């Protein structure tokens, strides 16, 4: 199966980002994820869709949630998986990314799921090996499967993405999640805004077609969907914000701020959360939170991406999960 | 040494407002006669250069020859050969080698290796501070005795305002400039490309224009305060242009250079994480590109310098964040500038020769940059209309890291003479083929 493509919906060999995907392609992935949701609810959570395929999860950055989500998706589709993390790998001995990849290739693998700290690393790898490459987050560039699962979660709640008002709150500058969501949401006709301290809003973001809100209260009032990003401790250390306490006071999403929110407004977070910093527990665990449904959807979306890149067709997903792969 | 008569070429020498068909006699290392029909001494070699431009050899005030310490990227010998292949007869070698050229012995090494190279004249530029650390001034006078022509911490800025002041004062003793790589290290920290829309999309850390322009502004103030000669290297930002324009208007001794790539490319070249478009200062926006083009045409920016920065293939073949800054420029400068600036209506061909040759000689008070009788016989002969494809595999340089690979350019160096000796002649299997297919203009 090496080198097969997501031909059915024109994805090509890889999923590196959402910037260049069409609305039809995004919806096809989400539609394909729908039937896969049910597999995770079964007693025996396994279908033979990717039986005999070898997938390498190549993680150069620490990740728990994304890696486990991919691994569940792979295993529930019956693929054979190997996990490689940067600690203990040859990377520490000075091996280049391209050599690591070629060595894996020489062991005849079918797909690579890569997480890497450098923007562009997934594209770099995809251009140099014939296996399918799925970007599980590259630097501050893109994290496409995260945005897809977010889209699926929003769609579950609202039925469609068209015209939906989504505001992403927090550290936009360093966020690959924000970039992937911006591309996909805009492509699907949503109205997108970002909100955060100006020091964490990247230059030229308006040129992408998003508006910038400077007060979180305005963001809450405006939104159908409030997407809260994690604020990393190191942002304080490098002087982007003076303290986490102050960040919480000015930008923290908490129940006392939700007064003017629309009745059906929902709150998303890509995890892991810093409770008491960007989001308080009274919201994270409250009725508007769809944070756990996001995690559930993550597995289904990743199954869909794996299935499509392996050559599956969206309309075959229902049959595939019934065991007729 | 046999005299040489170049016959029937288009003598193009802006230093004497010369643009006419005629002969040029090179004898005993000097231009012996320029213009008209020259019979020359009997033993002279006669070279027919009709249809070609004969111009004063180009002078590049900014190259990295990497030796000592980076011989896998370039050596003084290979760099000097790359220079003549690009029509350059003099290059100023930057001191950020390993170890840096910060003491007299190191200057002597570069001088000697340059003489042995048998290519372009290699002029060492000494470090401005010990170990390029920006703290202790080097023995500027001692460096000059061994052959240094200027000082700089290029690769790094002289970040200390006080050291910059002292340098601009002290160098006046010797009448040499301080070349400054203007960059506020804090504003630029961690940056790998221009700050703006493209960096935001690619998720790469940006370097704002202000990182350059704020230091240019400070340096201009210090040049005005001290009366020293500040030369601003590789100007990339439109705000820097404004600072230089202002300083010149106020009478400060400020000169500036711009690279062919900042004149012709923008940040868009980085899209796709192309490491061959990663350089420092970074490629900027179209507005910046137009500003440096206008400044060059007006003379606010004085010269074109390549910032020839060779890197080994494997060093560039990696994640964008980890790839080194810089591209090679010596062997593409004429073609890139001829194609994009002359055909693009920015400069006339005569102005291009001025910015590549006469102007560097003028601002640095060098012998050269002219075809006047009695000056060093440093001459380039080029075909202004020959079209060719950039193929890094054919470079004389040890490195081929260029964003122009595969591009069709117009304007090709045919011969280069240094001190009256032919140091380069194009021998190309493609020569006849491309000559046949090219459209020959007048």
């Amino acid at each position: 199966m090496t080198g097969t493509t997501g031909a059915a919906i024109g994805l090509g060999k890889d999923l590196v980002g959402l910037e260049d995907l069409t609305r039809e392609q995004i919806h096809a992935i989400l539609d394909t994820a729908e039937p896969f949701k049910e597999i995770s609810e079964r007693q025996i959570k396994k279908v033979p869709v990717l039986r005999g395929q070898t997938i390498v999860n190549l993680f150069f950055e620490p990740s728990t949630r994304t890696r486990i989500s991919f691994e569940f998706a792979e295993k529930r589709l019956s693929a054979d998986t190997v996990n490689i993390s940067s600690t203990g790998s040859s990377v520490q001995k000075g091996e280049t990314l391209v050599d690591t990849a070629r060595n894996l290739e020489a062991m005849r693998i079918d797909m690579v799921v890569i997480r890497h700290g450098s923007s562009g690393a997934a594209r770099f790898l995809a251009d140099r090996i014939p296996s399918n490459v799925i970007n599980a987050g590259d630097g501050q560039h893109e994290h496409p499967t995260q945005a897809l699962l977010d889209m699926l979660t929003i769609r579950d709640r609202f039925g469609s993405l068209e015209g939906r008002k989504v505001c992403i709150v927090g550290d936009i500058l360093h966020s690959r999640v924000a970039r992937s969501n911006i591309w996909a949401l805009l492509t699907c006709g949503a109205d997108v805004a970002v909100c955060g301290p100006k020091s964490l809003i990247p230059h030229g973001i308006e040129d992408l077609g998003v508006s910038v809100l400077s007060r979180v209260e305005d963001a809450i009032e405006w939104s159908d969907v409030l997407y809260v990003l994690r604020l990393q401790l190191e942002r304080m250390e490098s002087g982007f914000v003076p303290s986490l306490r102050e960040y919480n006071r000015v930008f923290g999403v908490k129940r006392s701020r939700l007064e003017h929110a629309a009745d059906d407004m929902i709150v998303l977070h890509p995890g892991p959360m810093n409770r008491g910093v960007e989001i308080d527990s009274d919201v994270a665990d409250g009725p508007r939170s769809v944070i756990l449904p996001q995690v559930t959807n993550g597995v289904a979306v990743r199954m869909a991406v794996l299935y499509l890149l392996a050559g599956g067709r969206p309309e075959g997903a229902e049959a595939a999960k019934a065991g007729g792969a | 040494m046999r005299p040489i008569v170049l016959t029937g070429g288009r003598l193009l020498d802006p230093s004497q407002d010369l643009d006419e068909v005629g002969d040029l006699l090179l004898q005993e290392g000097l231009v012996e006669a320029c213009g008209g029909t020259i019979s020359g001494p009997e033993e002279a070699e006669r070279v027919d250069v009709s249809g070609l431009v004969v111009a004063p050899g180009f002078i590049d005030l900014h190259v990295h020859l990497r030796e000592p310490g980076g011989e896998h990227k370039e050596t003084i010998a290979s760099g000097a050969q790359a220079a003549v292949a690009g029509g350059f007869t003099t290059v100023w070698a930057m001191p950020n080698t390993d170890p840096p050229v910060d003491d007299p012995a190191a200057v002597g090494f570069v001088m000697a290796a340059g003489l042995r190279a048998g290519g372009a004249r290699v002029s060492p530029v000494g470090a401005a501070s010990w170990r390029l650390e920006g703290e202790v001034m080097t023995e500027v006078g001692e460096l000059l005795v061994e052959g240094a022509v200027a000082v700089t911490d290029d690769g790094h800025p002289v970040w200390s305002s006080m050291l910059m002041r002292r340098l601009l004062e002290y160098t006046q003793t010797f009448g040499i400039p301080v070349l400054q790589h203007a960059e506020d290290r804090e504003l630029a920290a961690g940056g790998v490309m221009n700050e703006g829309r493209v960096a935001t999309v690619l998720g790469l850390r940006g370097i704002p224009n202000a990182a350059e322009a704020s230091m240019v502004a400070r340096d201009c103030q210090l040049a005005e305060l001290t009366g020293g000669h500040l030369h601003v290297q590789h100007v990339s930002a439109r705000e820097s242009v404004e600072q230089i324009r202002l300083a010149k208007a106020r009478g400060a001794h400020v000169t500036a250079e711009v690279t062919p790539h900042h004149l012709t490319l923008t940040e868009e070249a980085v899209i796709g994480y192309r490491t061959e478009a990663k350089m420092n200062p970074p490629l900027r926006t179209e507005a910046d590109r137009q500003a440096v083009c206008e400044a060059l045409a007006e003379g606010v920016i004085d010269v074109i310098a390549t910032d020839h920065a060779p890197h080994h293939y494997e060093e560039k073949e990696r994640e964008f964040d980890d790839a080194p800054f810089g591209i090679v420029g010596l062997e593409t400068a004429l073609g890139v500038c001829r194609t994009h600036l002359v055909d693009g209506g920015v400069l006339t061909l005569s102005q291009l020769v001025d910015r590549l040759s006469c102007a560097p000689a003028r601002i640095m008070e060098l012998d050269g940059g002219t075809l006047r009788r009695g000056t060093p016989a440093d001459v380039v002969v080029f075909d202004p209309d020959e079209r060719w494809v950039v193929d890094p595999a054919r470079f004389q340089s040890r490195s081929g890291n260029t964003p122009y690979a595969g591009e069709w350019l117009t304007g090709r160096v045919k011969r280069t003479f240094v001190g009256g000796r032919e140091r380069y002649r194009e021998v190309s299997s493609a020569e006849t083929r491309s000559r046949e297919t090219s459209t020959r203009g007048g």
Side-chain angles (χ1 to χ4, degrees), chain A residues 206-224:
Chain A
E206 297 92 340
D207 297 348
L208 308 190
V210 308
S211 42
V212 178
L213 304 173
S214 44
R215 285 164 31 93
V216 74
E217 291 82 0
D218 297 342
I220 289 168
E221 198 173 337
W222 178 82
S223 298
D224 297 320

Side-chain angles (χ1 to χ4, degrees), chain A residues 26-38:
Chain A
I26 291 169
H27 280 292
I29 296 171
L30 301 184
D31 292 345
T32 306
E34 288 293 346
F36 283 127
K37 282 179 180 175
E38 185 264 334

Side-chain angles (χ1 to χ4, degrees), chain B residues 73-267:
Chain B
K73 301 169 192 261
E74 194 81 284
T75 61
I76 291 170
S78 65
Q81 288 303 325
V84 287
F88 291 91
T89 52
T90 296
V91 293
W92 282 21
M94 294 300 121
N96 60 334
T97 48
D98 182 19
V101 180
D102 62 355
D103 67 20
V107 174
F109 166 79
V110 176
M111 284 295 287
L115 287 172
R116 272 200 310 275
R121 300 175 196 268
V122 176
S123 298
V125 175
S129 71
W130 189 76
R131 289 294 182 259
L132 306 172
E133 284 171 0
E135 287 169 13
V136 181
M137 194 191 299
T138 52
E139 298 164 293
V140 175
E142 299 285 338
L143 302 181
L144 297 189
V145 167
E146 292 301 319
V149 288
V151 290
T152 185
D153 275 355
D154 182 45
H156 312 271
V158 175
W159 53 269
S160 155
S161 305
M162 187 53 93
L163 178 62
M164 194 61 181
R165 174 186 180 157
R166 294 291 178 240
L167 281 162
L168 285 166
E169 289 169 340
Y170 190 68
T171 50
Q172 291 176 61
T173 314
F174 312 103
I176 59 157
V178 179
L179 321 182
Q180 171 75 315
H181 167 116
E183 178 185 14
D184 182 305
R185 296 186 307 179
E186 289 184 339
L187 290 176
V192 293
M193 70 169 296
N194 183 48
E195 179 172 301
R197 189 186 62 84
V198 177
T200 292
V201 169
L202 295 177
L204 293 173
R205 196 176 303 185
I207 301 173
N209 282 15
E212 175 180 287
S214 61
M215 190 162 281
V216 171
R218 181 203 74 176
D219 292 341
C220 286
Q221 293 289 321
L222 293 173
E224 200 175 337
L225 172 70
T226 59
H229 180 183
L230 168 72
H231 178 74
V232 185
Q233 299 181 299
H234 44 48
V235 175
S236 70
R238 57 191 186 278
E239 295 85 351
S240 306
V241 170
E242 289 316 307
Q243 295 300 329
I244 294 162
R245 191 191 305 275
L246 189 64
K248 285 188 162 187
R250 290 162 66 97
H253 191 179
V254 175
T255 56
E257 69 188 35
V258 61
T259 69
H261 43 279
H262 289 107
L263 290 163
T264 57
L265 297 173
T266 68
E267 59 179 2

Side-chain angles (χ1 to χ4, degrees), chain B residues 50-92:
Chain B
S50 52
L52 304 176
V53 169
V54 177
F58 304 148
I59 298 169
D60 193 342
L61 300 180
H62 195 149
V63 303
H64 297 271
L65 301 185
R66 302 300 188 205
E67 191 180 356
E71 291 83 355
H72 60 296
K73 301 169 192 261
E74 194 81 284
T75 61
I76 291 170
S78 65
Q81 288 303 325
V84 287
F88 291 91
T89 52
T90 296
V91 293
W92 282 21

